[in-house]
Coordinates of all heavy atoms in Angstrom, one line a residue:
G197 N 94.0 103.8 117.8 CA 94.6 102.4 117.9 C 93.5 101.4 118.1 O 93.8 100.2 118.3
E198 N 92.2 101.8 118.0 CA 91.1 100.9 118.2 C 91.1 99.8 117.1 O 91.1 100.2 115.9 CB 89.8 101.6 118.2 CG 88.6 100.8 118.3 CD 87.3 101.5 118.0 OE1 87.4 102.7 117.8 OE2 86.2 100.9 118.1
P199 N 91.0 98.5 117.4 CA 90.9 97.5 116.3 C 89.5 97.7 115.6 O 88.5 97.9 116.2 CB 90.9 96.2 117.1 CG 91.5 96.5 118.4 CD 91.1 97.9 118.7
L200 N 89.6 97.6 114.3 CA 88.4 97.8 113.5 C 87.9 96.5 112.8 O 86.8 96.1 112.9 CB 88.6 98.9 112.5 CG 88.9 100.3 113.1 CD1 89.2 101.3 112.0 CD2 87.7 100.8 113.9
R201 N 88.8 96.0 111.9 CA 88.4 94.9 111.1 C 89.5 93.9 110.9 O 90.7 94.2 111.2 CB 88.0 95.4 109.7 CG 86.7 96.3 109.8 CD 86.4 96.9 108.4 NE 87.2 98.0 108.0 CZ 87.0 98.8 107.0 NH1 85.9 98.6 106.2 NH2 87.8 99.8 106.7
Q202 N 89.2 92.7 110.5 CA 90.3 91.7 110.3 C 89.9 90.8 109.1 O 88.7 90.6 108.8 CB 90.6 90.8 111.5 CG 89.4 90.0 112.0 CD 89.8 89.2 113.2 OE1 90.6 89.7 114.1 NE2 89.3 88.0 113.4
I203 N 90.9 90.5 108.3 CA 90.7 89.6 107.1 C 91.5 88.4 107.3 O 92.8 88.4 107.5 CB 91.3 90.4 105.9 CG1 90.5 91.7 105.7 CG2 91.2 89.5 104.6 CD1 91.1 92.6 104.6
P204 N 90.9 87.2 107.3 CA 91.6 85.9 107.5 C 92.2 85.5 106.2 O 91.6 84.9 105.3 CB 90.5 85.0 107.9 CG 89.2 85.5 107.2 CD 89.4 87.0 107.2
D205 N 93.5 85.9 106.0 CA 94.2 85.6 104.7 C 94.4 84.2 104.5 O 94.6 83.8 103.3 CB 95.5 86.4 104.7 CG 96.2 86.4 103.4 OD1 95.9 87.2 102.5 OD2 97.0 85.5 103.2
H206 N 94.5 83.4 105.5 CA 94.8 81.9 105.4 C 96.2 81.6 105.0 O 96.6 80.4 104.9 CB 93.8 81.2 104.4 CG 92.4 81.5 104.7 ND1 91.8 81.2 105.9 CD2 91.4 82.1 104.0 CE1 90.5 81.5 105.9 NE2 90.3 82.1 104.8
D207 N 97.0 82.6 104.7 CA 98.4 82.4 104.2 C 99.3 83.2 105.2 O 98.9 84.0 106.0 CB 98.6 82.9 102.8 CG 97.9 82.0 101.8 OD1 97.6 80.8 102.1 OD2 97.5 82.5 100.7
R208 N 100.6 82.9 105.0 CA 101.6 83.7 105.8 C 101.8 85.0 105.0 O 102.5 85.1 104.0 CB 102.9 82.9 105.8 CG 104.0 83.6 106.6 CD 105.2 82.6 106.8 NE 106.3 83.2 107.5 CZ 107.4 83.4 107.0 NH1 107.6 83.2 105.7 NH2 108.4 84.0 107.7
V209 N 101.3 86.1 105.6 CA 101.3 87.4 104.9 C 102.7 88.0 105.2 O 103.1 88.2 106.3 CB 100.2 88.3 105.5 CG1 100.2 89.7 104.7 CG2 98.8 87.7 105.3
M210 N 103.3 88.5 104.1 CA 104.6 89.1 104.2 C 104.6 90.5 103.7 O 105.4 91.3 104.0 CB 105.7 88.3 103.4 CG 105.8 86.9 103.8 SD 107.1 86.0 103.0 CE 108.5 86.7 103.8
S211 N 103.6 90.9 102.9 CA 103.4 92.3 102.4 C 102.0 92.6 102.2 O 101.2 91.7 101.9 CB 104.1 92.5 101.0 OG 105.5 92.3 101.1
V212 N 101.6 93.8 102.5 CA 100.2 94.3 102.3 C 100.3 95.7 101.7 O 101.1 96.5 102.0 CB 99.5 94.3 103.6 CG1 100.1 95.2 104.7 CG2 98.0 94.7 103.4
V213 N 99.3 95.9 100.7 CA 99.3 97.2 100.1 C 97.8 97.6 99.9 O 97.0 96.6 99.7 CB 100.0 97.3 98.8 CG1 99.4 96.3 97.8 CG2 100.1 98.7 98.2
T214 N 97.4 98.8 99.9 CA 96.0 99.2 99.7 C 95.8 99.6 98.3 O 96.7 100.1 97.6 CB 95.6 100.4 100.7 OG1 96.5 101.5 100.5 CG2 95.7 99.9 102.1
L215 N 94.5 99.4 97.9 CA 94.1 99.8 96.5 C 92.8 100.7 96.7 O 92.1 100.6 97.7 CB 93.8 98.6 95.7 CG 94.9 97.7 95.2 CD1 95.2 96.7 96.3 CD2 94.6 97.1 93.9
P216 N 92.5 101.5 95.7 CA 91.3 102.3 95.8 C 90.1 101.4 96.0 O 90.1 100.2 95.6 CB 91.2 103.0 94.4 CG 92.7 103.1 94.0 CD 93.3 101.8 94.5
G217 N 89.0 102.0 96.6 CA 87.8 101.2 96.8 C 87.8 100.3 98.0 O 87.2 99.3 98.0
D218 N 88.6 100.7 99.0 CA 88.7 99.9 100.3 C 89.1 98.5 100.0 O 88.5 97.5 100.5 CB 87.3 99.9 101.0 CG 87.2 101.2 101.9 OD1 88.3 101.8 102.2 OD2 86.1 101.5 102.3
R219 N 90.1 98.3 99.2 CA 90.7 97.0 98.9 C 92.1 96.9 99.4 O 92.8 97.9 99.5 CB 90.7 96.7 97.4 CG 89.3 96.6 96.8 CD 89.4 96.5 95.3 NE 90.0 97.7 94.7 CZ 90.6 97.7 93.4 NH1 90.6 96.6 92.7 NH2 91.1 98.8 93.0
V220 N 92.6 95.7 99.8 CA 94.0 95.5 100.1 C 94.4 94.3 99.3 O 93.6 93.4 99.0 CB 94.2 95.2 101.6 CG1 93.8 96.5 102.4 CG2 93.4 94.0 102.1
A221 N 95.7 94.3 99.0 CA 96.3 93.1 98.4 C 97.4 92.6 99.3 O 98.1 93.3 100.0 CB 97.0 93.5 97.1
T222 N 97.5 91.3 99.4 CA 98.5 90.6 100.3 C 99.4 89.7 99.5 O 99.0 89.1 98.5 CB 97.8 89.8 101.4 OG1 96.9 88.9 100.8 CG2 97.0 90.8 102.3

């Protein structure tokens, strides 16, 4: 449960999905 990283999306995030290569889409 340790916090690791954060991404400032700047938008109201409603969905998130991961992609290969340590990428996420929001």
